[in-house]
Amino acid sequence: MRLIEPWENIAINVLTENCVMQHFDNNIHLIYVLAGEVTIEKEENVLSLQKNDFYLLSKSLVHTVYAKGARAFEIVLDYYFEDSENRVFDGNSVTDSKNLDGQIIQSIERILKLYLLKEGQSVSEVFEEYFHVIHLLEKEYTKSSSFEEERSMKQKVYELKFYIDNNFEKDIRLVDIANKLYVSDQYLSRSFSNEIGMPMNEYLIRKRLEKVRKDLLETEKSITDIAFSAGFSNINSFNRLFKKYQGLTPSEFRKEIKAEAKIKPKQHSMEEADIQNLEVYFKEKEAQIDDETIQVSMQDAVQQEFHKNMINLGYAGDLTHASFADQIANLQQNESFKYGRIWGLLSEEILEQVGDDYDFSTVDEILQIMIKAGFKPFLELGFKGKLIHESHTQIIKSHPFIRKSYELSDLLDRFQAFFHHCTDIFGVEEVSTWIVEIWKPNPLVLQTIGSEELNRIDDGGVQLKLSQDHTYIRVFSLIKETIRRIVPEIQIGGCGLSLDIETRDLGSFLTQWIKGQGAPDFISLSIYPMDAVKQQLNQRKDPHNPISPNSNYMLHRLKEFKALLKEIHYQGKTYITEFNVTILSRDIINDTAFKGSYILKNALAVMPYCDLIGYWQLTDLAVTTFDTANKEIFGGSGLISKSGIPKIGYFAYLFLSKLSDQVVYQSEELLITKEEPNRIQILCFSYSHLNSTYYYDFNSVFTRRNASALFASSNVQTKQILLKNLTDEKSRYRMKHYRIGPEAGNILEEINQVGSTDRLDDELVTYLKQRCQPRIEVNEMVSRNYQLTIDLEIHPQEIQLIEIQKSSH
């Protein structure tokens, strides 16, 4: 360390492209996002960084960083202190936030500002910030790389791996560590191999060789110096090991790789354009009235479609129940959804076949209920029945799809009879506006529900499995051909891919499908951010099944899938037919009573990337059974409770339906649209993801009264919005302000205020339907100098809509 020139101890690199990053020194390597989004993958874990987030890169591990389009930096702080032995910097501000994060962010931004003012600042100012940010990181984001004896064997193995990752250049011997842990070296080696996939000595060698390869490629150091700095103590042994793993000697490797490599810089140091961009950023920030003042020109607008929403109504047979049909009719009064999705319509239970004839009476009743309510039918016509999940592997209730015949020819006859009947009753023009989806069974799902027979298709005496790619493609093609002969313009697609459980390579299957004669008009998917990898955090036999800590899981999975579709040159439509936190309906944290801001955050994020977005699901009636008969709030994923009381998620969609398609401003939690000539809509919300209590507290019991403690705490936000460049210098406007959340009308708080009872009588249901509504405030405003100022106060988990209308006089 030099105390003469501070910038010799601080390096600032601009991240402009997607890259792979790996470092082997003991310095602090920190990624900081000034604007946009950066995604980091490390050892199968994915994390999204947004504005003002930071991430400490782990020593020796490979990080894949997706930074294209973001304004982000790698900041490297030299760290050579005598007391730094076994001290490792680790963590991030997203999933591992600390009390001092705000101070760390301020200090990072001050370092960036000082970099801009290199000519005018004093040496002491730079060192002050340099030591200040190191001090804060030492307090909050360091951990020991040593390991403790009092641990389970699995924990010891991962602590040992962490120790090797950060100390591989030291003299590490298996027998010494085994003695310290009071186990045999054979047992330790076997345990390490079982968990990590290779013996400890081999992992150590591979880790040292990673550094060697990097130094051979990126430096001109001698091979001997490189070998010793990586932890190899014998040069002959090193040369032998290197050739064994690389197939070349170190000198041959350096010569050939350097000759062939086209090295693309992963980042670059600050250049003039970067400095100018930073200057603009800080000038704009300092010019604001305060940090929460947003200036918006009403003359600028981009077109965006917000009316892409579909609702899952559920199993077709449920629609014949009077209470279910009533809720459907009442919901569509707000015109939030164009399509309603049902499944199971061709089950023998609903469409009964007697000889060569079919009984369409129940089918007609179901379709009439949907159409009268204003829905266009989205018909999933695969072999899907009804399931109610307690957990991912435990089914409370199963209502199977009933098949009278497994013959492919009989299935095609059924499709033909169904669509001939629908066109006779509703007309070809109406049926042409419907959408048909053909589900492809997932073997894992069929095994879980014990319905492997749904996979079966018989074709001329040969028994096939519909889950097999080539069988599904052929069957889909024949179904599509059958329907198109009757309704040429109808959309037909599939296959209901579950992105959360698909582990295979989808590229080959999708390529075969889209290039065949029966190519789909759309590809459908479901997204539920359950993170099975996180189950490893819980050592109990009872799996915790946590929700992914990645708050942008849905957006990231969809972007990955769209990138795959681009690779295979698919240009058709993409539909998300199901999305929610989970498919479970018996965990209070999954209840839509918590999901107003969750719906808005995810729906708005993915709208530019897909053509239709289906929420799971309309009503808790779909998942009500014996164990919830006396409960109104029990973890149901419906927008409305089983008694028809609207939840906050219902109003999230109501607010979305009121937006115009001309966007004048959009950020993560604020959207402003306009409708010419004199109407403005402002949608804002406060989103909080689940906190560490959810991920690590396995013993506490959470109910509707205390479950809010599982969400990351956030303060009341204050924002001032300055609408500029209005059409009139001075005009009168009427502002109608809707707000709903913990402080205003949400079902959770309203039921808790009623009392501790879970059972609601008719009087309480009527009362709660009136209480569970947004609070409305109406004000008159006057524009001045072509401007309007709106002050907002947003509570955690609250959603708000403001409609502004210019008065006629």
Side-chain angles (χ1 to χ4, degrees), residues 116-132:
L116 298 178
L117 306 171
K118 272 189 175 181
E119 303 297 325
Q121 29 81 355
S122 66
V123 169
S124 61
E125 282 182 287
V126 181
F127 273 122
E128 181 181 9
E129 288 305 329
Y130 167 75
F131 285 113
H132 182 58

Side-chain angles (χ1 to χ4, degrees), residues 336-392:
S336 300
F337 306 99
K338 181 176 181 180
Y339 287 96
R341 182 170 177 256
I342 60 172
W343 52 91
L345 195 61
L346 297 189
S347 173
E348 182 70 21
E349 178 188 48
I350 297 172
L351 180 56
E352 184 180 2
Q353 183 179 3
V354 181
D356 294 332
D357 298 322
Y358 295 90
D359 181 0
F360 286 101
S361 55
T362 305
V363 168
D364 291 346
E365 179 185 359
I366 292 167
L367 294 174
Q368 290 285 7
I369 288 170
M370 295 177 67
I371 293 171
K372 285 181 180 178
F375 289 108
K376 291 292 183 184
F378 188 114
L379 307 178
E380 196 291 293
L381 295 181
F383 307 144
K384 190 189 298 184
K386 176 180 177 179
L387 298 174
I388 301 178
H389 288 260
E390 182 174 19
S391 71
H392 281 76

Side-chain angles (χ1 to χ4, degrees), residues 128-178:
E128 181 181 9
E129 288 305 329
Y130 167 75
F131 285 113
H132 182 58
V133 73
I134 286 178
H135 170 67
L136 295 172
L137 291 172
E138 283 179 337
K139 286 185 68 175
E140 299 281 25
Y141 285 97
T142 59
K143 62 170 65 172
S144 173
S145 66
S146 59
F147 40 87
E148 302 291 336
E149 291 83 353
E150 298 299 323
R151 292 282 194 274
S152 70
M153 198 61 220
K154 183 174 182 178
Q155 290 172 319
K156 289 176 182 178
V157 165
Y158 280 97
E159 286 180 356
L160 176 54
K161 176 186 176 298
F162 185 75
Y163 177 79
I164 293 172
D165 290 340
N166 290 278
N167 298 278
F168 58 85
E169 68 276 14
K170 297 179 181 177
D171 184 16
I172 300 175
R173 302 183 186 207
L174 176 65
V175 64
D176 295 338
I177 296 171

Side-chain angles (χ1 to χ4, degrees), residues 482-495:
T482 299
I483 299 173
R484 278 281 169 81
R485 284 198 297 265
I486 304 165
V487 195
E489 302 299 322
I490 196 170
Q491 289 187 64
I492 307 169
C495 58

Side-chain angles (χ1 to χ4, degrees), residues 367-547:
L367 294 174
Q368 290 285 7
I369 288 170
M370 295 177 67
I371 293 171
K372 285 181 180 178
F375 289 108
K376 291 292 183 184
F378 188 114
L379 307 178
E380 196 291 293
L381 295 181
F383 307 144
K384 190 189 298 184
K386 176 180 177 179
L387 298 174
I388 301 178
H389 288 260
E390 182 174 19
S391 71
H392 281 76
T393 56
Q394 291 181 304
I395 310 296
I396 294 176
K397 185 176 182 180
S398 175
H399 199 113
F401 186 100
I402 300 174
R403 298 172 62 186
K404 187 171 185 177
S405 168
Y406 293 96
E407 282 293 335
L408 177 58
S409 59
D410 291 340
L411 175 66
L412 297 177
D413 288 344
R414 200 170 188 83
F415 272 92
Q416 180 173 288
F418 173 80
F419 280 97
H420 272 307
H421 174 81
C422 288
T423 54
D424 289 343
I425 299 299
F426 301 102
V428 174
E429 186 175 352
E430 165 62 25
V431 178
S432 296
T433 65
W434 300 0
I435 298 177
V436 174
E437 178 188 17
I438 308 299
W439 179 54
K440 182 177 185 286
N442 184 297
L444 176 62
V445 174
L446 295 181
Q447 182 180 0
T448 300
I449 64 177
S451 297
E452 286 88 346
E453 74 280 357
L454 296 182
N455 204 5
R456 177 181 165 187
I457 289 285
D458 294 346
D459 186 15
V462 179
Q463 190 173 119
L464 307 173
K465 290 185 177 180
L466 190 57
S467 61
Q468 293 179 339
D469 293 348
H470 63 279
T471 300
Y472 174 82
I473 292 171
R474 178 168 176 265
V475 171
F476 176 88
S477 177
L478 292 171
I479 292 174
K480 183 179 179 183
E481 181 183 354
T482 299
I483 299 173
R484 278 281 169 81
R485 284 198 297 265
I486 304 165
V487 195
E489 302 299 322
I490 196 170
Q491 289 187 64
I492 307 169
C495 58
L497 294 170
S498 300
L499 292 190
D500 50 314
I501 59 175
E502 288 288 348
T503 56
R504 64 197 179 102
D505 177 19
L506 294 172
S508 175
F509 161 61
L510 293 174
T511 301
Q512 294 177 55
W513 192 20
I514 67 172
K515 297 195 181 301
Q517 291 183 347
D521 298 320
F522 62 87
I523 294 176
S524 59
L525 6 140
S526 64
I527 306 179
Y528 296 95
M530 295 299 293
D531 193 345
V533 175
K534 294 295 175 183
Q535 293 180 21
Q536 298 173 8
L537 295 173
N538 182 7
Q539 301 299 320
R540 302 181 311 163
K541 293 182 179 179
D542 177 25
H544 182 45
N545 286 323
I547 296 161

Side-chain angles (χ1 to χ4, degrees), residues 74 84 190 199 206 213 217 240 253 327 351 445 481 485 493 542 569 587 621 623 637 639 693 695 744 755:
E74 181 197 23
S84 63
R190 187 168 61 252
R206 289 177 180 272
R213 288 193 296 269
L217 182 61
R240 187 174 64 255
F253 176 86
Q327 289 194 4
L351 180 56
V445 174
E481 181 183 354
R485 284 198 297 265
D542 177 25
H569 307 293
D587 186 341
L621 276 176
V623 292
S637 55
L639 295 175
T693 303
Y695 293 101

Side-chain angles (χ1 to χ4, degrees), residues 41-46 61-62 161 165 203 207 533:
E41 292 183 8
K42 180 185 77 171
E43 294 188 325
E44 299 184 354
N45 293 319
V46 181
L61 297 185
V62 174
K161 176 186 176 298
D165 290 340
Y203 184 81
K207 186 59 63 175
V533 175

Side-chain angles (χ1 to χ4, degrees), residues 655-800:
F655 290 178
L656 275 176
S657 70
K658 293 178 178 291
L659 296 177
S660 300
D661 290 337
Q662 294 187 68
V663 178
V664 293
Y665 179 87
Q666 185 169 4
S667 64
E668 276 199 356
E669 297 182 342
L670 178 65
L671 180 66
I672 303 175
T673 64
K674 69 176 182 179
E675 186 176 349
E676 301 293 358
N678 296 306
R679 293 185 63 197
I680 302 167
Q681 302 85 29
I682 301 174
L683 177 64
C684 56
F685 56 95
S686 174
Y687 176 77
S688 296
H689 202 61
L690 293 161
N691 62 23
S692 59
T693 303
Y694 171 79
Y695 293 101
Y696 298 104
D697 187 352
F698 306 126
N699 298 315
S700 297
V701 176
F702 294 96
T703 68
R704 60 178 167 86
R705 292 185 170 278
N706 65 1
S708 59
L710 294 172
F711 291 94
S713 60
S714 57
N715 299 320
V716 175
Q717 299 179 38
T718 57
K719 297 181 185 292
Q720 186 178 77
I721 302 174
L722 184 61
L723 303 179
K724 303 167 64 176
N725 307 122
L726 298 170
T727 54
D728 296 310
E729 180 179 7
K730 183 177 181 181
S731 294
R732 186 171 296 277
Y733 289 82
R734 184 173 184 265
M735 183 178 78
K736 184 180 284 189
H737 191 167
Y738 305 83
R739 59 191 303 167
I740 186 166
E743 306 296 321
N746 191 23
I747 187 173
L748 278 175
E749 288 70 28
E750 296 297 338
I751 286 184
N752 287 340
Q753 288 180 22
V754 166
S756 59
T757 181
D758 284 319
R759 181 188 286 273
L760 302 180
D761 57 28
D762 290 345
E763 184 179 15
L764 285 176
V765 168
T766 301
Y767 169 79
L768 287 168
K769 285 181 179 179
Q770 295 173 346
R771 292 285 299 175
C772 297
Q773 298 287 332
R775 294 183 188 172
I776 303 176
E777 183 180 345
V778 179
N779 291 304
E780 297 288 331
M781 306 173 66
V782 177
S783 64
R784 304 192 186 282
N785 298 321
Y786 302 97
Q787 297 181 352
L788 271 179
T789 302
I790 296 100
D791 293 306
L792 298 178
E793 184 178 271
I794 310 168
H795 291 259
Q797 301 287 48
E798 187 175 57
I799 62 176
Q800 299 185 21

